Amino acid sequence: RFAKTLLTERFAVPVICGHEVADELNMIERGTTALLNARLLPLVSGFMNAVEDALAARGVRVPVMIVRSDGSLMSEELGWIRPVETILSGPAASALGGTGLAGKQGRDCLVIDMGGTTTDISITREGVPTLSTTGIRIAGWRTQVKGVSVETYALGGDSVLRLVDGRLMLAAQRVLPMCVAASRWPVVREALRGVLATARRHSLPLHEFLSLVHKPADSGRFTVRENALVKTLVDGPLNVEAAATAVGTDIYQLGSERLEAEGIILRCGLTPTDLMHIRGDFTAYDTEAAVLVARCLLRCQVRLADDDEGLQTLAEEGYDLMKRTLYAHVVRTVLAAEHPGLFADGPDAQLDFLISQAWGQWREGMPTSFIDILPHIGATLVGIGAPIHIFLPEVAEALGARCVIPEHSEAANALGAVISSISATAKVEISSYSAEDGQGGYRIHGPQGTERYDTLEIAIAAAESAAAQAAEAEARRRGATGFLTVETEVDPQSISDSEGRTTIFGFTVHAVASPVQGVDADIAGLPRHRFTYPTRTSSG
């Protein structure tokens, strides 16, 4: 504590210790969490400053609360020092909002949030989104941040559609839909006509365009060709072949990958959003540009003719591809949730093949083999997000599940933030020890250190008190006011031998503190803590 205070005063920077953001064993995960927290500090501080400025400009003077990764809330002050706890808070809020919008039908459901870039799938049981049993994983590194269990897939309205070996495929890359690009830059529509006039079979997508998002802050980090490409795109988007010519190279050596990965350049291409315009399901942008880019793709393959029938067939194939992919993702999510030991890393190639076959079997309307492999899901599928109403109903029908797409589902994320509440947890471990005189006893390992007790009953009572106090203190730090109710649960930790005999080697006491909404503690006369105990065994 002294070192933290000294460093803060001397360097005028926030200093957050690793144990403040991660309290589990595992040095690597704790270090990863602390490092990620440090990296997020300037980003979140800039965001919070912008929020404060926006509220002040509107004369709003209210406390600001932030949604955490587990769907609960924390105060603005805590958000300044523990921003790592906001990882995946958006999907967590959407899960809460989707469940709330579904009402009684959302008691046991899958909330499927399809946006432009990704589809997030979370599972709700008895009205509460399930939490991840392990820490959230970011870019392959596991943290100790607990959050709502969300499976994220690269599938959305802006997913790019390309031809691979003559087949229409969805690539795990987000591009700007061509209909949107043409609405933003009318020159794109005219350029597409030129691309269509010279369209030919090619291994690269010649119909895709590149647009400049912003100039790099440090141009010295990039090559001469990359800087030349940025300069070329200042005046507006160009299709990839024209961009290559402008920088004096060929399309194979254009080298836009790093600029795209860093968000400096954005690619424009054919997407499900363009197909929605072709079919008339969504027409907010430039439908003509959507048709032109689809015709470019038609001229690059031989299966379909470049006419109205071919255009509609292409759109239908794209829709089926979206539904097939969403179907597979829903099945994968449920399998991983129901059988985490078997599918911790997702289904293998063989099971993926069976899932794909199941969709094909359902689409044909009859079994294609002696085995009926169609999976059925008992939970309701709750869809939120702009394009979800086009794809989810048929997927739910194939899975034998009820489909609910609530009115105003586009506001699910905001609703989730509104209905979130403060909830803080703490845990205390109990272990046994042997003294030199052979008597021994029990240790509790709590926030204030380690204490020893002679009997298990006293140790459990002390651990419950310590956990309850820690949970209440954390709830207060997160901004809770008024009366708090604290529930504790004692979980025995055991191990089984090869003959099936079970030995209890310790206990974990969990405490959860949360405000009682609309209740005045002095009037209610409720106890300060409410404990719930599991059935205990007589063996210590």
Side-chain angles (χ1 to χ4, degrees), residues 61 151 206 233 237 241 286 291 293 297 345 399 478 535:
R61 298 287 187 273
E151 296 292 338
L206 302 181
L233 297 175
E241 198 167 22
D286 194 321
V291 170
V293 71
L297 200 69
D345 298 320
L399 292 168
R478 294 183 187 178
T535 302

Side-chain angles (χ1 to χ4, degrees), residues 16-39:
I16 296 91
C17 299
H19 72 271
E20 295 180 81
V21 293
D23 59 0
E24 302 283 344
L25 296 176
N26 192 314
M27 181 178 65
I28 300 299
E29 291 181 2
R30 179 180 292 191
T32 300
T33 307
L35 175 61
L36 185 57
N37 190 73
R39 293 289 297 271

